[in-house]
Amino acid sequence: MADLVREIRFCLNENVVRWTLLIAFVLSGLSLLNGMLAVEHQHSQLEVLKAETEADQAYVMPSQGDPGSAAYYIFHLTYDPPSEFTFVALGSRYELPWKHRIRMLALEGQIYENDPGNPELSYLGKLDFAYLISIVLPLLLIGLLFDLDARERRESRLELLYATSMSGERVLFYRACARALLLFVAVAVPFLIALLYANAPLGAGLSILVAVVLYMLFWLAVCRFVTSRKIASVSAAAILFGLWLLFTTLVPVLGKFSVERMVSVPDGGDILLTQRETVNDAWDLPPEATMDRFVAEHPEWEGRTAVGAEGFEWKWYYAFQQVGDQEASPLTKALYAGIEDRDRQMGLVALFSPPLLIERWLTHTAQTDVTQHLHYMDCVRNFHSSLRHFHYEMMFGDEVFSQEKMKQLPQFEACQ
């Protein structure tokens, strides 16, 4: 321990170390601030959307005279609120939808809507804490360690250092550990401040720091293995940068390419096209053609699907909306099964890429990974199903439409 403390004091006297620690501290703070501002923005968006949706429903509902028009004109907000650790890793919330404004039409035409992002900002990357740890932190550590052994050899004082140090040949190991420890403190202090400010669970927060320590130990071991060889500092830097490139880019990119080749998924456009063609074609078909397919999936309404001579009834309209979703259902199931399978396969790829592994672990902890997105989509589907059941009871069943009945309209509650 005394050797480590001595090396820490020694490191803090070097300008390159102090500047690197300052950069790490600032980047850590910025990444966490960026994450917290994004979470705050999403919370404020949700509050505005909730208020607007509630006001819209209060305005529209009294003017509706039947269940069909009420179902058509009343919109509902569904959402996946940020978790306590979303500020650590925004993950899928950068690209995939986490809120929808839906109504009781065919769901497949609504569930894939997304707010367009800024492609230039997406190209530049996303600076959250997960990105800092998985991608930037190894580079900072390499910058601190690549010249550690070579400098002593270059200045012909390595043997003298070994001879005069109480640690002997382990002195450079302690020096590397001291630099890694200082770098960890530089990124951990802003994280602990953010953790307290966000009032997030301390135990889970500390587990994130444990993961960061393990990740840094991996890169520390890689750096020591390379720099302790008798090679020039330029060669050591080139090798370490090559390994960084291998683990952070080549393995994830090749793994993603291979997984996408092995696990095919239906195109989202095909799902929308199938659903919309089915709905559009239904206008030109006899109502019985639609109702027969509707009853095949919902036998509880058999004998209640007759359409009058007027040619249009809301129950027919919503039946072919339902049939549109039914027609697209096999493609939808295949899409989600494929997404889950690809995510599992990428989990295996991550075993060969520590940066990808810790990034996946951080997004899992922050509940911003693909699994959470699929869970949210299930919640939207369940809520839409409850809307259909509520209105079908008035369209096909014995329930009578009234403003009193509409007060029982299902309201979306965020799934845990």
Side-chain angles (χ1 to χ4, degrees), residues 334-354:
L335 173 65
Y336 284 88
I339 291 174
E340 286 183 306
D341 195 11
R342 283 183 173 181
D343 188 54
R344 280 194 295 270
Q345 299 296 331
M346 285 306 295
L348 297 177
V349 172
L351 297 177
F352 301 94
S353 170

Side-chain angles (χ1 to χ4, degrees), residues 79-308:
Y79 53 91
D80 181 24
S83 72
E84 296 165 313
F85 284 103
T86 298
F87 71 93
V88 172
L90 293 170
S92 64
R93 299 177 77 88
Y94 267 120
E95 302 162 350
L96 300 175
W98 52 270
K99 61 183 184 305
H100 290 87
R101 191 167 175 258
I102 65 169
R103 51 181 170 162
M104 214 192 76
L105 301 182
L107 184 60
E108 299 302 330
Q110 308 175 70
I111 203 168
Y112 300 109
E113 292 180 351
N114 192 11
D115 296 331
N118 187 325
E120 292 181 351
L121 290 179
S122 300
Y123 178 77
L124 290 173
K126 44 193 180 185
L127 180 61
D128 58 10
F129 191 69
Y131 180 84
L132 172 77
I133 295 300
S134 61
I135 304 298
V136 180
L137 188 61
L139 279 179
L140 296 175
L141 189 61
I142 289 171
L144 286 176
L145 302 184
F146 81 97
D147 195 31
L148 204 60
D149 298 62
R151 183 177 65 174
E152 302 299 335
R153 283 195 294 270
R154 188 170 60 246
E155 297 180 1
S156 303
R157 62 188 187 196
L158 184 61
E159 287 73 16
L160 179 63
L161 180 66
Y162 286 163
T164 57
S165 172
M166 294 180 63
S167 306
E169 295 187 359
R170 291 177 298 176
V171 61
L172 292 181
F173 169 75
Y174 285 123
R175 188 165 298 175
C177 290
R179 295 186 177 206
L181 179 61
L182 290 171
L183 186 60
F184 169 75
V185 172
V187 298
V189 169
F191 175 77
L192 289 172
I193 295 173
L195 191 67
L196 295 174
Y197 180 80
N199 200 26
L202 186 60
L206 293 179
S207 71
I208 289 176
L209 290 183
V210 171
V212 174
V213 169
L214 294 176
Y215 183 58
M216 291 188 70
L217 286 176
F218 165 77
W219 281 106
L220 176 63
V222 170
C223 289
R224 288 303 303 153
F225 179 79
V226 173
T227 58
S228 61
R229 308 297 104 178
K230 293 182 178 179
I231 56 178
S233 58
V234 174
S235 300
I239 293 171
L240 290 172
F241 181 73
L243 291 173
W244 175 84
L245 198 63
L246 172 69
F247 288 129
T248 59
T249 303
L250 291 181
V251 171
V253 169
L254 291 177
K256 185 171 183 289
F257 176 76
S258 302
V259 168
E260 289 179 350
R261 295 276 294 179
M262 288 189 297
V263 182
S264 61
V265 298
D267 192 292
D270 292 338
I271 296 175
L272 291 178
L273 187 62
T274 300
Q275 178 261 309
R276 288 177 179 172
E277 282 185 342
T278 304
V279 170
N280 292 335
D281 291 346
W283 288 102
D284 302 322
L285 297 174
E288 295 77 15
T290 297
M291 289 305 191
D292 288 345
R293 297 172 67 184
F294 174 75
V295 169
E297 293 287 332
H298 301 277
E300 67 270 25
W301 303 121
E302 187 170 10
R304 292 174 175 266
T305 57
V307 178

Side-chain angles (χ1 to χ4, degrees), residues 31 54 75 166 268:
S31 67
E54 189 175 335
F75 285 85
M166 294 180 63

